[in-house]
Amino acid sequence: MKNPIQMIKQCVEKEEPYFVLRGQDVCALAAIETYYEEVRNRVRDPYFIEEIEEIMKDFRAYREEVSKTKLPD
């Protein structure tokens, strides 16, 4: 995956909005699952699709390891 810090810096420089999800956010996994479905329907780059799938797997694994999630900060 691309360096997220670098991506955020680029967004700030361009005054482009960005959005960050944390593993402890109770809403994050559902948001990523929905995004993944949109990516599968619209994106042709299999590498990008795979990257999003891996992120989704990471969030699922985190959810299984950590019993406590909370509302977003």
Side-chain angles (χ1 to χ4, degrees), residues 5-73:
I5 295 172
Q6 184 63 32
M7 291 174 63
I8 291 170
K9 285 180 181 179
Q10 290 173 354
C11 288
V12 169
E13 289 171 3
K14 296 177 183 179
E15 297 183 2
E16 176 185 352
Y18 60 92
F19 191 81
V20 176
L21 296 171
R22 295 177 61 175
Q24 68 179 348
D25 181 334
V26 70
C27 302
L29 181 57
I32 293 168
E33 290 170 340
T34 300
Y35 181 74
Y36 175 71
E37 288 304 317
E38 286 297 313
V39 167
R40 284 185 50 206
N41 291 331
R42 298 172 185 249
V43 175
R44 298 285 179 240
D45 181 357
Y47 180 72
F48 185 75
I49 296 169
E50 186 178 310
E51 281 187 323
I52 302 304
E53 186 173 17
E54 288 302 314
I55 291 168
M56 186 172 59
K57 288 177 183 178
D58 289 344
F59 271 74
R60 283 183 181 149
Y62 182 84
R63 181 71 55 92
E64 290 175 8
E65 290 175 19
V66 178
S67 61
K68 185 176 181 183
T69 56
K70 62 182 187 171
L71 292 176
D73 293 340

